[in-house]
């Protein structure tokens, strides 16, 4: 047993720390600071959320106000697009015009006297492949082949030479801006069997001219 | 640990002793008297009265402080049981603590007025060293200078020590490590000084010089004062022998500033035993690299006894 006589009258609450950093004060301060920080953070988040809600409501109201105008605008855009497309197609067609006038104007000068033209026709182009689900307003191909067919009859001893002369004239340089190639298809220069036997000397011919293609550009 | 004796009334200041314990060995670091503001109040103060806190000199800035309060209202005494409250002033709240040394021994009780305890406990503020870790009454604190000394370990079974204070002398008897008797008698070295002063018509401050020089024999002057005290020692010794079966084998005197040889001389006439002087600082090593101690430490060590005892009690009890 210790002989020390330590009769201590000091109360527990009177025992202090000599440490300048007082945990008793620092800890509550840190706790309060953290709590205040959290509260401020939550307040800021709340204010931000409130602000975003206000912005959202404003935007929604604005959208509602603009909905009619937006629909009208979309409709106008559609109309503009459609009109633009039509206009474009019309321009394509305009650009694709092949001028037969000058050639046809000079044609009587080229045709010999014993040749009678019975047909002068621009053959219709082959039908384009159209997708039923997505029909195109304009031509589906960028180019379209153009064929000019001349048919006629002739007689006499110079008939063959006259047809050849017409063919050569069509191939001449005066028509190269329209006709690329002119040929007499096989079997197209023949005797006219439909007439009476005394008129059997009459010959029929056809000339097919492949013209420059129509370019829809 | 720094020990401070509050309310000692010493003219040089508050007795202070700083000790430390390293490797099981207690060392003396600093000792002296500190000029600290304020005095222990002797009556309850009105609330809100501003009081200054203390900042100790660097040499005394130990982490902790043990405070011993010397108060006329404070007490240390045996009590019959837990309900014994007769000595307390019923009008003033007291702070008390008790200690029992055995089932067959009366409980020892220390008490201090609450306002004095609060005043003392609030002298050393939080946040700078030292701060109070112990508050003791002076009479109990002083006993520890003896019980903590190496001498105490070598003593025979029963020893009686006289702790001399200015206004009273306490008799403390130990049987082994047990405190078996505590008594106070209202005769202290202050009464000796007064007796010499009155007899020789000199100032009380000169009385110690009469006791120290050899030109005058002061025994005729002090014997009438000490005789009743030693009679009480004799009675206490007889009580220990008859009631506790403890034969006192050695007597020690502690805390006397001067005239110990005259006390021993008069004592030997009353009791056929020598009265040995115990020096509180005996066996206490000075700490290396500590500030130099005051040159007059041997002369003032009785006045530092209570501060040292408080520090040692708290230091050993940590």
């Amino acid at each position: 047993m210790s002989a020390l006589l330590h009769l201590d009258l000091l109360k527990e609450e009177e025992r202090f720390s000599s440490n300048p950093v007082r945990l008793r004060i620092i800890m509550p301060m840190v706790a309060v600071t953290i709590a205040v920080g959290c509260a401020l953070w939550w307040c800021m988040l709340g204010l931000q959320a409130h602000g975003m809600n206000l912005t959202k409501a404003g935007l929604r109201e604005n959208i509602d106000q603009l909905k009619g105008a937006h629909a009208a605008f979309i409709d106008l855009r559609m109309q503009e697009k459609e009109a633009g497309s039509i206009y474009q197609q019309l321009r394509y067609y305009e650009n694709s015009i092949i001028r037969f006038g000058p050639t046809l104007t000079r044609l009587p000068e080229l045709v010999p006297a014993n040749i009678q033209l019975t047909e002068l026709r621009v053959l219709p182009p082959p039908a384009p492949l159209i997708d039923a689900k997505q029909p195109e307003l304009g031509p589906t191909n960028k180019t379209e082949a153009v064929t000019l067919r001349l048919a006629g009859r002739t007689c006499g001893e110079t008939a063959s030479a006259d047809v050849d002369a017409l063919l050569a004239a069509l191939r001449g340089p005066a028509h190269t801006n329209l006709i690329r190639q002119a040929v007499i298809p096989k079997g197209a220069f023949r005797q006219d069997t439909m007439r009476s036997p005394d008129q059997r000397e009459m010959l029929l011919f056809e000339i097919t001219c492949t013209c420059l293609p129509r370019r829809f550009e | 640990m720094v020990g401070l004796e509050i309310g000692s009334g010493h003219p040089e200041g508050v007795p202070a002793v700083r000790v430390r314990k390293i490797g099981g060995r207690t060392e003396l670091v600093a000792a002296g008297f500190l000029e600290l503001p304020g005095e222990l109040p002797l009556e309850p103060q009105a609330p809100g009265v501003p009081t200054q806190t203390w900042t100790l000199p660097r040499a005394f800035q130990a982490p902790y402080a043990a405070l011993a309060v010397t108060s006329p209202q404070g007490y240390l005494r045996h009590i019959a049981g837990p309900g014994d409250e007769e000595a307390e002033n019923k009008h003033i709240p007291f702070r008390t603590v008790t200690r029992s040394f055995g089932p067959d021994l009366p409980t020892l009780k220390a008490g201090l007025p609450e306002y004095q305890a609060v005043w003392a406990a609030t002298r050393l503020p939080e946040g700078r060293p030292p701060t109070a870790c112990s508050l003791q009454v002076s009479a109990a604190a002083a006993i520890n200078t003896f019980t903590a000394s190496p001498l105490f370990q070598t003593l025979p079974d029963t020893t009686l020590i006289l702790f001399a204070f200015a206004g009273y002398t306490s008799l403390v008897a130990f049987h082994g490590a047990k405190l078996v008797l505590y008594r106070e008698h209202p005769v202290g070295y202050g009464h000796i000084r007064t007796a010499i002063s009155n007899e020789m018509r000199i100032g009380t401050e000169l009385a110690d010089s009469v006791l120290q020089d050899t030109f005058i024999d002061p025994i005729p002057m002090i014997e009438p004062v000490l005789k009743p005290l030693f009679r009480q020692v004799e009675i206490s010794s007889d009580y220990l022998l008859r009631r506790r079966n403890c034969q006192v084998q050695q007597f020690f005197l502690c805390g006397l500033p001067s005239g110990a040889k005259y006390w021993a001389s008069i004592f030997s006439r009353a009791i056929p035993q020598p009265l040995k002087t115990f020096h509180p600082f005996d066996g206490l090593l000075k700490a290396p690299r500590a500030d130099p101690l005051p040159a007059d430490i041997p002369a003032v060590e009785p006045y530092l006894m209570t501060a040292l005892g408080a520090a040692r009690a708290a230091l050993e009890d940590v």
Side-chain angles (χ1 to χ4, degrees):
Chain A
M1 185 179 179
S2 171
L4 279 172
L5 192 64
H6 187 200
L7 299 174
D8 192 2
L9 291 159
L10 199 67
K11 290 180 177 175
E12 207 52 47
E13 60 266 25
E14 291 171 334
R15 295 175 199 276
F16 303 124
S17 167
S18 59
N19 194 333
V21 179
R22 301 175 198 177
L23 287 178
R24 188 169 56 83
I25 294 168
I26 291 293
M27 289 305 287
M29 281 179 67
V30 168
V32 167
T33 305
I34 289 171
V36 168
C38 285
L40 283 174
W41 185 51
W42 276 102
C43 283
M44 285 175 66
L45 284 179
L47 284 173
Q48 280 182 354
H50 181 65
M52 289 175 79
N53 280 336
L54 286 176
T55 307
K56 184 184 168 187
L59 287 172
R60 190 174 294 281
E61 192 178 346
N62 202 13
I63 286 169
D64 290 342
Q65 284 177 354
L66 293 173
K67 203 169 262 181
H70 184 254
F73 173 75
I74 295 292
D75 192 38
L76 283 173
R77 282 291 300 273
M78 289 291 289
Q79 289 180 23
E80 185 265 340
K81 194 175 176 182
E82 195 175 335
S85 180
I86 292 167
Y87 172 72
Q88 188 70 20
Q89 292 301 323
L90 289 173
R91 281 198 59 213
Y92 286 165
Y93 277 107
E94 185 183 19
N95 292 340
S96 69
I97 288 173
I98 294 177
R99 302 191 182 280
F100 289 93
T103 299
L104 295 178
T105 305
R106 284 195 297 271
L107 190 60
E109 300 167 8
L110 302 176
V111 179
N114 62 337
I115 289 177
Q116 183 184 20
L117 291 179
T118 58
E119 186 182 344
L120 181 61
R121 179 188 291 184
V122 177
L123 297 176
L129 295 171
I130 296 173
D131 185 356
K133 291 180 181 175
Q134 289 182 324
E136 292 283 339
L137 293 172
T140 53
N141 298 326
K142 291 283 184 185
T143 59
E144 186 179 283
V146 178
T147 305
L148 176 67
R149 193 169 77 105
L150 288 85
R153 55 191 171 193
T154 186
C155 62
E157 292 178 355
T158 60
S160 180
D162 290 339
V163 171
D164 287 341
L166 178 60
L167 184 64
L170 290 171
R171 287 174 179 171
H175 307 286
T176 51
N177 58 346
L178 176 67
I179 298 167
R180 184 188 290 173
Q181 191 182 14
V183 294
I184 298 171
K186 282 184 179 178
F189 194 48
R190 64 187 185 278
Q191 195 170 37
D192 188 1
T193 57
M194 299 297 290
R195 293 181 179 268
S196 58
D198 55 334
Q199 291 180 334
R200 287 285 173 88
E201 68 274 15
M202 193 67 72
L203 296 172
L204 299 178
F205 71 89
E206 283 179 25
I207 296 173
T208 302
C209 300
T210 305
C211 299
L212 291 174
R214 295 177 74 185
R215 293 187 177 279
F216 298 97
E217 291 174 348
Chain B
M1 184 74 66
V2 61
L4 299 169
E5 185 188 356
I6 298 171
S8 69
H10 197 280
E12 288 186 54
V14 175
V17 178
R18 182 179 174 183
V19 289
R20 71 180 180 196
K21 197 169 185 181
I22 293 178
R25 192 178 64 179
T26 304
E27 294 178 340
L28 177 65
V29 180
F33 298 91
L34 308 179
E35 289 183 15
L36 299 171
E39 287 184 2
L40 182 73
L42 297 177
E43 55 188 37
Q45 291 177 309
V49 174
T51 53
Q52 265 185 290
T53 55
W54 291 346
T55 303
L56 305 193
R58 192 162 192 81
F60 292 88
Q61 286 180 1
Y64 300 105
L67 310 175
V69 178
T70 300
S71 163
Q73 291 127 312
Y75 63 84
L76 176 69
R77 61 185 178 84
H78 282 299
I79 56 169
D84 184 4
E85 303 287 339
E86 62 183 345
E88 288 181 10
N89 185 337
K90 297 293 182 187
H91 303 292
I92 304 171
F94 266 66
R95 194 182 288 189
T96 59
V97 62
T98 57
R99 165 75 87 74
S100 177
F101 292 88
D104 55 335
L105 295 171
T107 301
L108 201 61
K109 182 178 183 180
L112 200 59
E114 179 66 24
Y115 69 90
Q116 287 181 340
V118 169
W119 188 90
T122 52
R123 290 311 86 204
L124 299 167
E126 185 178 19
R128 63 166 186 254
T131 52
C133 74
S134 174
L135 181 65
Q136 305 164 46
V137 291
S138 290
I143 294 170
N144 294 297
T145 54
F146 188 74
T147 57
S149 70
L151 171 70
F152 185 75
Q153 309 299 327
T154 63
L155 292 175
D157 280 350
T158 306
T159 311
L160 197 147
I161 311 102
L162 284 75
F163 289 94
F165 297 93
Y168 68 97
T169 300
S170 60
L171 312 181
V172 187
F174 284 96
H175 180 67
K178 283 184 181 177
L179 190 150
V180 292
L181 178 87
Y182 179 84
R183 294 281 186 273
E184 285 179 10
H185 295 282
V187 174
Y189 57 77
H191 296 93
I192 302 295
R193 286 173 181 166
T194 306
I196 293 170
S197 172
N198 291 340
E199 288 287 329
M200 298 186 69
R201 299 178 189 277
I202 57 172
T204 50
E205 64 275 12
L206 297 172
D208 277 355
S209 62
V210 171
L211 291 169
Q212 282 158 6
D213 66 35
T214 55
F215 295 112
I216 301 163
D217 180 13
I219 288 177
M221 291 180 276
I222 64 175
E223 191 172 17
V225 181
L226 289 176
K227 223 171 179 179
L229 170 66
F230 294 148
R231 175 66 184 144
Q232 291 301 323
V233 173
E234 191 181 358
I235 292 167
S236 296
S237 182
D238 190 46
Y239 165 82
L240 287 169
L241 180 62
R242 287 188 292 103
R243 301 293 294 271
R244 301 283 171 206
N245 197 25
C246 302
Q247 174 71 54
V248 179
Q249 290 156 308
Q250 288 201 49
F251 295 87
F252 287 91
L253 175 63
C254 181
L256 194 64
S258 57
K261 63 181 179 182
Y262 301 115
W263 281 55
S265 175
I266 296 166
F267 183 85
S268 61
R269 290 181 201 174
I271 299 167
Q273 287 273 358
L275 181 63
K276 299 175 184 174
T277 301
F278 170 72
H279 298 282
F281 285 72
D282 275 0
L284 200 60
L285 298 170
K286 184 178 176 294
R289 295 190 299 278
D291 288 349
L293 296 173
D296 60 343
I297 273 286
V300 297
E301 68 175 30
Y303 302 115
L304 300 171
M305 172 181 71
T306 303
L308 174 65
R312 295 206 71 170
L315 190 67
E316 300 293 334
D317 206 23
V318 170

